[in-house]
Amino acid sequence: MLNVKKLTRKYKNGSTYINAIDDINANFNVGDFVFILGESGSGKSTLLNVLCGLDTKIDGSVSIDGIDTSTFSKKDWAIYRNHYVGFVFQEYNLIEHLKVWENVALPLQFQGLSKKQAKKKAVIELEKIGLGKFIDKLPNHLSGGQKQRVAIARAFVTDPKIIMADEPTGALDTALGDKIIAYLKEKAKDKIVVIVTHDEDLAEKFANRIITLEDGKILNDSNQVSETITPEKELNLVRPRMKLSMLFKFARNNISSRIFRSIITSSIVSIGYISIFLLTFLILGINSSIASTISSFIPEDQYQIYHIGNEEITTDEMAQISALEHVESVEYVVTEQILLEYQGIPNNSILTSVPYDEVSLQSNTSTLYGEIPSSSDEIIINSLTAANLEGLQYIEKGSEEYVFNSVKNLTVSIKYIDSTGTKTLIGEYKIVGMVVNTSMQPLVYAEYQESLDISNMINNDENIYASQATMYLNTDNEDEISDLRKTLNDNHDIFVMNLYESITSNIDDFMMKALKIFIGIASISLIVSGILIGLVVYTSILERIKEIGILTAIGAKSSSIVGIYLIESAFLGLISSIIASGVALLLTKFINGLFNNFIEKPLNLLTQGLFEMQLLSPNVLVILIVITFSILYAMLAGVIPSLRASKMNAVKALRKE
Ligand code: ADP
Ligand code: MG
């Protein structure tokens, strides 16, 4: 039994309210075949929408089987609409992209029936109403009468207590209309049927009760029923639910029924992603080329060792470093201090020179006078040493050539001073050259690099000091390397650096910074595409307001509606990132081809194979990250329109034509 007490539905009209239905009292029993008659605007549809739970903003009370609906939550209303009520509308309100049987099966699937079970019941219902042959058709292949029969099958398929129909014959001719109503009457003996119409003849022909409305009030009720007390029960039915697979189906149908628009939108959105792909591939390409070029002249397992401060690495320390596990070999940069003594010059005049076979003109050296020594008893001296030999404090600008000419071909003896100050004669040399340096320091440290046989030197008790060493390892195990580093740091105040690592990490830093800037720029295009996706989803919603109304009417929760449109957004994100990946990969191939032909190959020939690079380096991880991002971002962009869709008023939505 359905009881209505003091039912009023107000609509705001400017600053005043109008009562679409006004203080209505009525009871409906099983077996009632009620027609509601009245002029247009008298409140018929409003009453029906309230009774079937589409419109819940009411004063007064409606109760079903003794259950008061005033305490209903949204969930309860969804249960009520799905289990208690079957709707038939004037406009049929079928979902155009679902087959006939799918339309009928929908309310059952909301109740949790499997697709198979739901289809079975739907087909039985359709066969009963004479549509057995049309189950696999889409609604727009059917005539109006057939569509209305599908709608009736959908209303009956859940075997609801109440059937409500708003102008069900309004779009049909009289004969067809009569047939439909006769079928309803025949089928609904154990139900409450409420039919809204303005067709008095139809009502007279079929009704066993007629309620006439005028200005929202009951003008006449032909067969009033008194309220029978029904014991209060709990609304204890399964909550209607749209399965994820169904949400996907709706989203997919939304996209594919507007495939052209979806592709255009996705293509525009993909432009931003294409630029992100190309920039990232470019940075990765350049980065890996630089890394491989560097590794071709700096081995990755080469470590440089320095002493912290001015001290040099001692022979002892050398021995310890060489003895470390994983160390394959060590080369030391040895600094030798050599004393140059000219006969006749007082002992305290210390001069130095460079062993000619290791001549390295230092950075502050500008000019060489004379020539490079050609035999082992010839040397070059520095300009200040030359000035001292001449008895001068310094060389005046412009007099270098004069000074060199006066010391040229002099023979000097060179002595080695060890750390205790003991001088050892190394040999006698003829001056053949002079380097001009800007240094005021007459001592020149000659640096030469040598692979020294440490064990031999230690055995011979030789006193050799090194400022720097290069260590070659035979391990690429990071742990072992860090152990080694720790040992060296702990024991020797020694600083260890991997040149390859420090150069490439600097480059990596730089590349990451560049990447961030590029992505920053690209994100401007992402903002635009987010807005675009939001608009497209919103448009899709506007075009499907009716569908949202239908889904709500048969019991869909608002979260399911949100779900459909979020998935639709996600699809757009997926399509755009897939388009972007495809185009980016094609462009990569094309650009790399051009680069190889016109730049890489010629340069490679010119440098005899030293120049070898791939300009753009595609990367699967980057593609996966962008696709994931694109999907999530599109969903984010779709959130606002989806929420709006879910808040759409079902009554208004169904009114829209
Ligand atoms: P009927 O179905 O009998 O033609 P309705 O129930 O549709 O009548 O409307 C009853 C009254 O309520 C009308 O005056 C109509 O203008 C008003 N009304 C209906 N829906 C709304 C609405 N959403 N906002 C404002 N007024 C409304
Ligand atoms: Mg109406």
Side-chain angles (χ1 to χ4, degrees), residues 539-612:
T539 314
S540 158
I541 287 165
L542 289 183
E543 287 167 354
R544 288 178 185 272
I545 284 181
K546 196 143 211 170
E547 187 174 300
I548 295 169
I550 300 166
L551 291 175
T552 312
I554 55 181
K557 285 181 302 174
S558 51
S559 59
S560 301
I561 310 279
V562 174
I564 291 175
Y565 289 97
L566 281 187
I567 294 171
E568 185 175 334
S569 313
F571 266 129
L572 287 176
L574 178 69
I575 298 173
S576 35
S577 54
I578 285 176
I579 293 176
S581 315
V583 173
L585 287 176
L586 283 178
L587 283 176
T588 297
K589 218 174 158 207
F590 178 70
I591 293 170
N592 274 345
L594 285 182
F595 181 77
N596 284 350
N597 268 329
F598 292 105
I599 297 176
E600 203 237 355
K601 259 189 211 154
L603 278 179
N604 196 298
L605 274 176
L606 217 64
T607 59
Q608 297 175 348
L610 274 180
F611 186 88
E612 202 175 301

Coordinates of all heavy atoms in Angstrom, one line a residue, residues 539-612:
T539 N 30.4 18.8 -22.5 CA 29.5 18.8 -23.7 C 28.8 17.5 -23.8 O 27.6 17.3 -24.0 CB 30.3 19.1 -25.0 OG1 31.1 20.2 -24.8 CG2 29.4 19.3 -26.2
S540 N 29.6 16.4 -23.6 CA 29.1 15.1 -23.7 C 28.0 14.9 -22.6 O 27.0 14.2 -22.9 CB 30.2 14.1 -23.5 OG 29.8 12.8 -23.0
I541 N 28.2 15.5 -21.5 CA 27.2 15.4 -20.4 C 25.9 16.1 -20.8 O 24.8 15.6 -20.6 CB 27.8 16.0 -19.1 CG1 28.8 15.0 -18.5 CG2 26.7 16.2 -18.1 CD1 29.7 15.6 -17.5
L542 N 26.1 17.3 -21.4 CA 24.9 18.1 -21.8 C 24.1 17.3 -22.8 O 22.9 17.3 -22.7 CB 25.3 19.5 -22.4 CG 25.9 20.5 -21.4 CD1 26.2 21.8 -22.1 CD2 24.9 20.7 -20.2
E543 N 24.8 16.6 -23.7 CA 24.1 15.9 -24.7 C 23.5 14.6 -24.1 O 22.6 14.0 -24.8 CB 25.1 15.5 -25.8 CG 25.5 16.6 -26.6 CD 26.7 16.3 -27.5 OE1 27.3 15.2 -27.4 OE2 27.0 17.1 -28.3
R544 N 23.9 14.2 -22.9 CA 23.4 13.0 -22.4 C 22.6 13.2 -21.1 O 22.5 12.2 -20.3 CB 24.5 12.0 -22.2 CG 25.0 11.5 -23.5 CD 26.2 10.6 -23.3 NE 26.7 10.3 -24.6 CZ 26.2 9.3 -25.3 NH1 25.3 8.5 -24.9 NH2 26.7 9.1 -26.5
I545 N 22.1 14.4 -20.9 CA 21.4 14.7 -19.7 C 20.3 13.7 -19.5 O 20.0 13.1 -18.4 CB 20.8 16.1 -19.8 CG1 21.9 17.1 -19.5 CG2 19.7 16.3 -18.8 CD1 21.4 18.5 -19.5
K546 N 19.6 13.3 -20.6 CA 18.5 12.4 -20.5 C 18.9 11.1 -20.0 O 18.2 10.5 -19.2 CB 17.8 12.3 -21.9 CG 16.5 11.7 -21.9 CD 15.6 12.4 -22.9 CE 14.2 12.4 -22.4 NZ 13.3 13.2 -23.2
E547 N 20.0 10.6 -20.6 CA 20.5 9.3 -20.2 C 20.8 9.3 -18.7 O 20.6 8.3 -18.0 CB 21.8 9.0 -20.9 CG 22.4 7.7 -20.7 CD 23.6 7.4 -21.7 OE1 23.4 7.5 -22.9 OE2 24.7 7.2 -21.2
I548 N 21.4 10.4 -18.2 CA 21.7 10.5 -16.7 C 20.4 10.4 -16.0 O 20.3 9.7 -15.0 CB 22.4 11.8 -16.4 CG1 23.8 11.8 -17.1 CG2 22.6 12.0 -14.9 CD1 24.5 13.2 -17.1
G549 N 19.3 11.1 -16.5 CA 18.0 11.0 -15.8 C 17.5 9.6 -15.8 O 17.0 9.1 -14.8
I550 N 17.6 8.9 -16.9 CA 17.1 7.5 -17.0 C 17.9 6.6 -16.0 O 17.2 5.8 -15.2 CB 17.3 6.9 -18.4 CG1 16.5 7.7 -19.5 CG2 16.8 5.4 -18.5 CD1 16.9 7.4 -20.9
L551 N 19.2 6.7 -16.0 CA 20.0 5.9 -15.1 C 19.6 6.2 -13.7 O 19.4 5.2 -12.9 CB 21.5 6.2 -15.3 CG 22.0 5.7 -16.7 CD1 23.5 6.1 -16.8 CD2 21.9 4.1 -16.8
T552 N 19.4 7.5 -13.3 CA 19.0 7.8 -12.0 C 17.6 7.2 -11.7 O 17.4 6.6 -10.6 CB 18.9 9.3 -11.8 OG1 20.1 9.9 -12.4 CG2 18.8 9.7 -10.4
A553 N 16.7 7.3 -12.7 CA 15.4 6.8 -12.4 C 15.4 5.3 -12.2 O 14.6 4.8 -11.4 CB 14.5 7.1 -13.7
I554 N 16.2 4.5 -12.8 CA 16.2 3.1 -12.6 C 17.2 2.7 -11.4 O 17.4 1.5 -11.2 CB 16.5 2.2 -13.8 CG1 17.7 2.6 -14.5 CG2 15.3 2.3 -14.8 CD1 18.0 1.8 -15.8
G555 N 17.7 3.7 -10.8 CA 18.4 3.4 -9.5 C 19.9 3.6 -9.5 O 20.6 3.1 -8.5
A556 N 20.5 4.3 -10.5 CA 22.0 4.5 -10.5 C 22.3 5.5 -9.4 O 21.6 6.4 -9.2 CB 22.4 5.0 -11.8
K557 N 23.4 5.2 -8.7 CA 23.9 6.1 -7.7 C 24.6 7.3 -8.4 O 25.2 7.1 -9.5 CB 24.9 5.4 -6.7 CG 24.2 4.5 -5.8 CD 25.3 3.9 -4.9 CE 26.3 3.2 -5.7 NZ 27.4 2.7 -4.9
S558 N 24.8 8.4 -7.7 CA 25.5 9.5 -8.3 C 27.0 9.2 -8.5 O 27.6 9.6 -9.5 CB 25.3 10.8 -7.5 OG 25.6 10.6 -6.2
S559 N 27.5 8.3 -7.7 CA 28.9 8.0 -7.8 C 29.1 7.2 -9.1 O 30.2 7.3 -9.8 CB 29.4 7.2 -6.6 OG 28.7 6.0 -6.5
S560 N 28.1 6.4 -9.6 CA 28.2 5.7 -10.8 C 28.2 6.7 -12.0 O 29.0 6.5 -13.0 CB 27.1 4.7 -11.0 OG 27.0 3.8 -9.9
I561 N 27.4 7.7 -11.9 CA 27.4 8.7 -13.0 C 28.8 9.4 -13.0 O 29.3 9.5 -14.1 CB 26.3 9.8 -12.7 CG1 25.0 9.1 -12.4 CG2 26.2 10.8 -13.8 CD1 24.2 8.7 -13.5
V562 N 29.3 9.7 -11.9 CA 30.7 10.3 -11.8 C 31.6 9.4 -12.5 O 32.5 9.7 -13.3 CB 31.1 10.6 -10.4 CG1 32.6 11.1 -10.3 CG2 30.2 11.6 -9.7
G563 N 31.5 8.1 -12.1 CA 32.4 7.1 -12.7 C 32.4 7.0 -14.2 O 33.4 7.0 -14.8
I564 N 31.2 7.1 -14.8 CA 31.1 7.0 -16.2 C 31.9 8.1 -16.9 O 32.7 7.9 -17.8 CB 29.6 7.1 -16.7 CG1 28.8 5.9 -16.3 CG2 29.5 7.3 -18.2 CD1 27.3 6.0 -16.6
Y565 N 31.7 9.3 -16.3 CA 32.3 10.5 -17.0 C 33.8 10.6 -16.7 O 34.6 11.1 -17.5 CB 31.6 11.8 -16.7 CG 30.3 11.7 -17.5 CD1 29.1 11.3 -16.9 CD2 30.3 11.9 -18.9 CE1 27.9 11.1 -17.6 CE2 29.1 11.8 -19.6 CZ 27.9 11.4 -19.0 OH 26.8 11.2 -19.7
L566 N 34.2 10.1 -15.5 CA 35.7 10.0 -15.2 C 36.3 9.0 -16.1 O 37.4 9.3 -16.6 CB 35.9 9.6 -13.7 CG 35.7 10.7 -12.7 CD1 36.2 10.2 -11.3 CD2 36.5 12.0 -13.1
I567 N 35.7 7.9 -16.4 CA 36.3 6.9 -17.3 C 36.3 7.5 -18.7 O 37.3 7.3 -19.4 CB 35.5 5.6 -17.2 CG1 35.6 4.9 -15.8 CG2 36.0 4.6 -18.3 CD1 34.7 3.7 -15.6
E568 N 35.3 8.2 -19.1 CA 35.3 8.8 -20.4 C 36.5 9.8 -20.5 O 37.2 9.8 -21.5 CB 34.0 9.6 -20.6 CG 33.9 10.1 -22.0 CD 32.5 10.8 -22.3 OE1 31.5 10.4 -21.7 OE2 32.5 11.7 -23.2
S569 N 36.7 10.6 -19.4 CA 37.9 11.5 -19.4 C 39.2 10.7 -19.6 O 40.1 11.0 -20.3 CB 38.0 12.3 -18.2 OG 36.7 12.8 -17.8
A570 N 39.2 9.6 -18.8 CA 40.4 8.7 -18.8 C 40.7 8.2 -20.2 O 41.8 8.1 -20.7 CB 40.3 7.6 -17.8
F571 N 39.6 7.8 -20.9 CA 39.7 7.3 -22.3 C 40.3 8.4 -23.2 O 41.3 8.1 -24.0 CB 38.3 6.9 -22.9 CG 38.0 5.5 -22.7 CD1 36.7 5.1 -22.2 CD2 38.8 4.5 -23.1 CE1 36.4 3.8 -22.0 CE2 38.5 3.2 -23.0 CZ 37.2 2.8 -22.4
L572 N 39.8 9.6 -23.0 CA 40.4 10.7 -23.8 C 41.9 10.9 -23.5 O 42.7 11.1 -24.4 CB 39.6 12.0 -23.5 CG 38.2 12.1 -24.1 CD1 37.5 13.4 -23.7 CD2 38.2 12.0 -25.6
G573 N 42.2 10.8 -22.2 CA 43.6 10.9 -21.9 C 44.5 9.8 -22.5 O 45.6 10.0 -23.0
L574 N 43.9 8.6 -22.4 CA 44.6 7.4 -23.0 C 44.8 7.6 -24.5 O 45.9 7.5 -25.0 CB 43.8 6.1 -22.7 CG 44.4 4.9 -23.3 CD1 45.7 4.5 -22.6 CD2 43.5 3.7 -23.2
I575 N 43.7 8.0 -25.2 CA 43.8 8.1 -26.7 C 44.8 9.2 -27.0 O 45.7 9.0 -27.9 CB 42.4 8.5 -27.3 CG1 41.4 7.4 -27.0 CG2 42.5 8.7 -28.8 CD1 40.0 7.7 -27.4
S576 N 44.8 10.3 -26.3 CA 45.7 11.4 -26.7 C 47.1 11.0 -26.4 O 48.0 11.3 -27.2 CB 45.4 12.7 -26.0 OG 44.9 12.5 -24.7
S577 N 47.4 10.3 -25.3 CA 48.8 9.9 -25.1 C 49.3 8.8 -26.0 O 50.4 8.7 -26.4 CB 49.0 9.5 -23.6 OG 48.1 8.5 -23.3
I578 N 48.3 8.0 -26.5 CA 48.7 6.9 -27.5 C 49.0 7.6 -28.8 O 50.0 7.3 -29.5 CB 47.6 5.9 -27.6 CG1 47.7 5.0 -26.4 CG2 47.8 5.0 -28.9 CD1 46.7 3.9 -26.3
I579 N 48.1 8.6 -29.2 CA 48.4 9.3 -30.4 C 49.8 10.0 -30.3 O 50.6 9.9 -31.2 CB 47.3 10.4 -30.7 CG1 46.0 9.7 -31.0 CG2 47.7 11.3 -31.8 CD1 44.8 10.7 -31.2
A580 N 50.0 10.6 -29.1 CA 51.3 11.3 -28.9 C 52.5 10.4 -29.0 O 53.5 10.7 -29.7 CB 51.3 12.0 -27.6
S581 N 52.4 9.2 -28.4 CA 53.5 8.3 -28.5 C 53.8 7.9 -29.9 O 54.9 7.8 -30.3 CB 53.2 7.0 -27.7 OG 52.6 7.3 -26.4
G582 N 52.7 7.5 -30.6 CA 52.9 7.1 -32.0 C 53.5 8.2 -32.8 O 54.5 7.9 -33.5
V583 N 53.0 9.4 -32.8 CA 53.5 10.5 -33.6 C 54.9 10.8 -33.2 O 55.8 11.0 -34.0 CB 52.6 11.8 -33.4 CG1 53.3 12.9 -34.1 CG2 51.2 11.5 -34.0
A584 N 55.2 10.8 -31.8 CA 56.5 11.1 -31.4 C 57.6 10.1 -31.9 O 58.7 10.4 -32.3 CB 56.6 11.2 -29.8
L585 N 57.2 8.8 -31.9 CA 58.1 7.8 -32.3 C 58.4 7.9 -33.8 O 59.5 7.8 -34.3 CB 57.5 6.4 -32.0 CG 57.6 6.0 -30.5 CD1 56.9 4.6 -30.3 CD2 59.0 6.0 -30.0
L586 N 57.3 8.2 -34.6 CA 57.5 8.4 -36.0 C 58.4 9.6 -36.3 O 59.4 9.5 -37.0 CB 56.2 8.7 -36.7 CG 55.3 7.4 -37.0 CD1 54.0 7.8 -37.6 CD2 56.1 6.4 -37.8
L587 N 58.1 10.7 -35.6 CA 59.0 11.9 -35.7 C 60.4 11.6 -35.3 O 61.4 12.1 -36.0 CB 58.4 13.1 -34.9 CG 57.2 13.8 -35.5 CD1 56.7 14.9 -34.5 CD2 57.5 14.4 -36.8
T588 N 60.6 10.9 -34.2 CA 61.9 10.5 -33.8 C 62.7 9.8 -34.9 O 63.8 10.1 -35.2 CB 61.8 9.6 -32.5 OG1 61.2 10.3 -31.5 CG2 63.2 9.1 -32.0
K589 N 62.0 8.8 -35.5 CA 62.6 8.0 -36.5 C 63.0 9.0 -37.7 O 64.2 8.9 -38.2 CB 61.6 7.0 -37.1 CG 62.4 5.7 -37.4 CD 61.4 4.6 -37.7 CE 62.3 3.6 -38.5 NZ 61.6 2.8 -39.4
F590 N 62.1 9.9 -38.0 CA 62.4 10.8 -39.2 C 63.5 11.7 -38.9 O 64.5 11.9 -39.6 CB 61.1 11.5 -39.4 CG 61.1 12.5 -40.5 CD1 61.3 12.1 -41.8 CD2 61.1 13.9 -40.2 CE1 61.4 13.1 -42.9 CE2 61.2 14.8 -41.2 CZ 61.3 14.4 -42.5
I591 N 63.4 12.4 -37.7 CA 64.5 13.4 -37.3 C 65.8 12.7 -37.2 O 66.8 13.2 -37.6 CB 64.1 14.1 -36.0 CG1 62.8 14.9 -36.3 CG2 65.2 15.0 -35.5 CD1 62.2 15.5 -35.0
N592 N 65.8 11.5 -36.5 CA 67.1 10.8 -36.4 C 67.7 10.4 -37.7 O 68.9 10.5 -38.0 CB 66.9 9.5 -35.6 CG 67.0 9.8 -34.1 OD1 67.5 10.9 -33.7 ND2 66.6 8.9 -33.3
G593 N 66.8 10.1 -38.7 CA 67.3 9.7 -40.0 C 67.9 10.9 -40.7 O 69.0 10.8 -41.2
L594 N 67.3 12.1 -40.6 CA 67.8 13.3 -41.2 C 69.2 13.6 -40.5 O 70.2 13.9 -41.2 CB 66.9 14.5 -41.0 CG 65.6 14.6 -41.8 CD1 64.9 15.8 -41.5 CD2 66.0 14.5 -43.3
F595 N 69.2 13.6 -39.2 CA 70.4 13.9 -38.5 C 71.6 13.0 -38.8 O 72.7 13.4 -39.1 CB 70.1 13.8 -37.0 CG 71.3 14.1 -36.1 CD1 71.7 15.5 -35.9 CD2 72.1 13.1 -35.5 CE1 72.7 15.8 -35.1 CE2 73.2 13.5 -34.7 CZ 73.5 14.8 -34.5
N596 N 71.3 11.7 -38.9 CA 72.3 10.7 -39.3 C 72.9 11.0 -40.7 O 74.1 11.0 -40.8 CB 71.8 9.3 -39.3 CG 71.6 8.8 -37.8 OD1 72.1 9.5 -36.9 ND2 70.9 7.7 -37.6
N597 N 72.0 11.3 -41.6 CA 72.4 11.5 -43.0 C 73.3 12.7 -43.1 O 74.3 12.7 -43.8 CB 71.2 11.5 -43.9 CG 70.9 10.2 -44.5 OD1 71.9 9.4 -44.6 ND2 69.7 9.9 -44.8
F598 N 72.7 13.8 -42.5 CA 73.3 15.1 -42.9 C 74.4 15.6 -41.9 O 75.2 16.4 -42.2 CB 72.2 16.2 -43.0 CG 71.4 16.0 -44.2 CD1 70.1 15.4 -44.1 CD2 71.9 16.2 -45.5 CE1 69.3 15.2 -45.2 CE2 71.1 16.0 -46.6 CZ 69.8 15.5 -46.4
I599 N 74.3 15.1 -40.7 CA 75.3 15.6 -39.7 C 76.2 14.5 -39.1 O 77.4 14.6 -39.1 CB 74.5 16.3 -38.5 CG1 73.8 17.5 -39.1 CG2 75.5 16.7 -37.4 CD1 72.9 18.3 -38.2
E600 N 75.5 13.4 -38.7 CA 76.3 12.4 -38.0 C 77.3 11.7 -38.9 O 78.5 11.6 -38.6 CB 75.4 11.4 -37.3 CG 76.1 10.6 -36.2 CD 76.1 9.1 -36.3 OE1 75.5 8.6 -37.3 OE2 76.7 8.5 -35.5
K601 N 76.8 11.2 -40.1 CA 77.7 10.5 -40.9 C 78.9 11.3 -41.4 O 80.1 10.8 -41.3 CB 76.9 10.0 -42.2 CG 76.6 8.5 -42.0 CD 76.0 8.0 -43.3 CE 75.0 6.9 -43.0 NZ 74.0 6.8 -44.1
P602 N 78.7 12.5 -41.9 CA 79.9 13.3 -42.3 C 80.9 13.6 -41.2 O 82.1 13.4 -41.3 CB 79.3 14.7 -42.8 CG 77.8 14.4 -43.0 CD 77.5 13.2 -42.2
L603 N 80.3 13.9 -40.0 CA 81.2 14.2 -38.8 C 81.9 13.0 -38.4 O 83.1 13.0 -38.0 CB 80.4 14.8 -37.7 CG 80.1 16.3 -37.8 CD1 79.2 16.7 -36.6 CD2 81.4 17.1 -37.8
N604 N 81.2 11.8 -38.5 CA 81.8 10.6 -38.1 C 83.0 10.3 -39.0 O 84.1 9.9 -38.6 CB 80.8 9.5 -38.2 CG 81.2 8.2 -37.5 OD1 82.2 7.6 -37.9 ND2 80.5 7.9 -36.5
L605 N 82.8 10.5 -40.3 CA 83.9 10.3 -41.3 C 85.1 11.2 -41.0 O 86.2 10.8 -40.9 CB 83.4 10.6 -42.7 CG 82.8 9.4 -43.4 CD1 82.2 9.8 -44.8 CD2 83.8 8.3 -43.6
L606 N 84.7 12.5 -40.7 CA 85.7 13.5 -40.5 C 86.6 13.2 -39.2 O 87.8 13.4 -39.2 CB 85.0 14.9 -40.3 CG 85.7 16.1 -40.9 CD1 85.7 16.0 -42.4 CD2 84.8 17.3 -40.5
T607 N 85.9 12.7 -38.2 CA 86.6 12.5 -36.9 C 87.0 11.0 -36.8 O 87.4 10.6 -35.7 CB 85.7 12.8 -35.7 OG1 84.5 12.0 -35.8 CG2 85.3 14.3 -35.7
Q608 N 87.0 10.3 -37.9 CA 87.4 8.9 -37.9 C 86.7 8.1 -36.9 O 87.3 7.4 -36.1 CB 88.9 8.8 -37.8 CG 89.5 9.4 -39.0 CD 91.1 9.5 -39.0 OE1 91.6 9.2 -37.9 NE2 91.7 9.8 -40.1
G609 N 85.4 8.3 -36.8 CA 84.6 7.4 -35.9 C 84.4 7.9 -34.5 O 83.8 7.3 -33.7
L610 N 85.0 9.1 -34.2 CA 84.9 9.6 -32.8 C 83.5 10.2 -32.6 O 83.0 10.1 -31.5 CB 86.0 10.7 -32.6 CG 87.3 10.2 -32.1 CD1 88.3 11.3 -31.9 CD2 87.2 9.3 -30.8
F611 N 83.0 10.8 -33.6 CA 81.7 11.4 -33.4 C 80.6 10.4 -33.8 O 80.4 10.0 -34.9 CB 81.5 12.6 -34.3 CG 80.2 13.4 -34.1 CD1 80.1 14.3 -33.1 CD2 79.1 13.1 -34.8 CE1 79.0 15.0 -32.8 CE2 77.9 13.8 -34.6 CZ 77.9 14.7 -33.6
E612 N 79.9 10.0 -32.8 CA 78.9 8.9 -33.0 C 77.7 9.3 -32.1 O 77.9 9.3 -30.9 CB 79.4 7.6 -32.6 CG 78.7 6.4 -33.3 CD 79.4 5.1 -33.0 OE1 80.6 5.0 -33.4 OE2 78.8 4.3 -32.4

